[in-house]
């Protein structure tokens, strides 16, 4: 199954992507994770991406499409994949179609803005190993320090409230129309993300027939 996950930043796409990938034995391709790795390594792509992300803006289509195109050619994607964070615009969706990649399911996770702001504001990331935590939902056993490598956890610049609000504005302007795009293709399914995690996961598994 070739699947994409839709929804505003903080709607829980990353968490559900991990659970679905394990259940279905297919890889999750997170453009966010790919970009953050580039930022931590200080590559040229990482530096350019960080400037845009810190302002709450999207990375250019050419960069994202190139990254995704190369990744989907790898062997572990031949039996299916989950795209998390791509496409984010109609142009990217059309580019994906242009690559001849068929999407079987577009699963949208929807939550109110106030829920999104609270979730993202509570996220913490390890600048050393990239592990992610949440002060409410997934706290580190070591408090303000990573329980994997003991580095001090940080709030990502794009998780600060002012930037979150800008990210939501960008989402509604550029990404929300994807629901209509994939709805017209007959592959869209919607799940409320303003529910307990186990309920959301059960509904996602039901949609993909993996109960």
């Amino acid at each position: 199954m070739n699947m994409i996950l839709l929804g505003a930043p903080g709607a829980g796409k990353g968490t559900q992507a991990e659970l679905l990938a394990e259940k279905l034995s297919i890889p999750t391709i997170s453009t966010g994770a790919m970009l953050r790795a580039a930022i931590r390594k200080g590559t040229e792509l990482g530096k350019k991406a960080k400037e845009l992300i810190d302002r709450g803006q999207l990375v250019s289509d050419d960069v994202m499409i190139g990254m995704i195109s190369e990744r989907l050619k790898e062997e572990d994607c031949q039996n299916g994949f989950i795209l998390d964070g791509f496409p984010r615009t109609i142009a990217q969706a059309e580019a994906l179609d242009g690559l001849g990649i068929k999407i079987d399911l577009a699963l949208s996770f929807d939550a109110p803005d106030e829920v999104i702001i609270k979730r993202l504001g509570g996220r913490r990331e390890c600048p050393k190993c990239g592990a992610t935590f949440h002060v409410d939902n997934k706290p580190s056993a070591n408090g303000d320090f990573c329980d994997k490598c003991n580095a001090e956890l940080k709030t990502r610049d794009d998780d600060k409230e002012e930037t979150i609000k800008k990210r939501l504005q960008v989402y509604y302007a550029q990404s929300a129309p994807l629901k209509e795009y994939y709805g017209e293709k007959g592959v869209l399914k919607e799940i409320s993300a303003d529910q307990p995690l186990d309920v959301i996961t059960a509904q996602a598994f039901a949609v993909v027939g993996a109960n």
Side-chain angles (χ1 to χ4, degrees), residues 4-29:
I4 63 171
L5 302 187
L6 304 177
K13 300 185 299 296
T15 298
Q16 294 303 320
E18 290 180 9
L19 296 168
L20 285 164
E22 182 177 358
K23 189 74 170 179
L24 299 172
S25 298
I26 56 177
T28 293
I29 301 170

Side-chain angles (χ1 to χ4, degrees), residues 137-192:
N137 303 328
K138 187 185 175 185
S140 168
N142 289 335
D144 293 333
F145 296 87
C146 179
D147 59 16
K148 296 183 179 180
C149 71
N150 210 40
E152 186 175 3
L153 299 175
K154 303 292 184 181
T155 298
R156 282 166 33 190
D157 287 339
D158 57 327
D159 281 344
K160 295 175 180 176
E161 185 169 347
E162 182 179 347
T163 305
I164 294 170
K165 291 179 178 178
K166 290 181 181 178
R167 292 174 69 193
L168 286 171
Q169 290 175 354
V170 171
Y171 167 75
Y172 287 121
Q174 301 187 28
S175 299
L178 287 167
K179 289 177 63 176
E180 181 178 356
Y181 182 86
Y182 286 107
E184 291 177 351
K185 291 179 176 294
V187 297
L188 177 70
K189 297 291 182 182
E190 299 177 73
I191 293 176
S192 170

Side-chain angles (χ1 to χ4, degrees), residues 52-71:
L52 293 168
I53 292 171
D54 287 351
R55 295 199 299 264
Q57 299 177 3
L58 298 180
V59 178
S60 70
D61 284 357
D62 288 346
V63 172
M64 299 310 303
I65 292 165
M67 289 175 60
I68 291 295
S69 177
E70 289 302 311
R71 179 66 180 88

Side-chain angles (χ1 to χ4, degrees), residues 28-42:
T28 293
I29 301 170
S30 168
T31 53
M34 292 168 71
L35 286 171
R36 286 192 291 274
I39 289 171
R40 283 197 303 274
K41 293 176 182 176

Side-chain angles (χ1 to χ4, degrees), residues 45-143:
L45 170 62
K47 292 175 183 176
K48 292 178 182 178
K50 188 176 189 307
E51 290 181 8
L52 293 168
I53 292 171
D54 287 351
R55 295 199 299 264
Q57 299 177 3
L58 298 180
V59 178
S60 70
D61 284 357
D62 288 346
V63 172
M64 299 310 303
I65 292 165
M67 289 175 60
I68 291 295
S69 177
E70 289 302 311
R71 179 66 180 88
L72 294 183
K73 293 176 184 177
E74 296 183 21
E75 187 175 351
D76 63 341
C77 294
Q78 300 313 302
N79 292 324
F81 53 81
I82 300 170
L83 285 177
D84 172 18
F86 185 94
R88 289 192 178 185
T89 65
I90 297 296
Q92 289 180 353
E94 292 174 342
L96 199 61
D97 292 341
L99 293 174
I101 297 167
K102 181 179 182 295
I103 298 301
D104 302 304
L105 173 66
L107 189 53
S108 179
F109 296 94
D110 305 311
D113 286 1
E114 58 268 23
V115 173
I116 298 293
I117 292 170
K118 182 177 180 181
R119 283 183 183 169
L120 290 181
R123 284 202 306 200
R124 300 292 183 269
E125 184 174 70
C126 176
K128 184 176 180 181
C129 73
T132 57
F133 303 89
H134 193 282
V135 295
D136 296 320
N137 303 328
K138 187 185 175 185
S140 168
N142 289 335

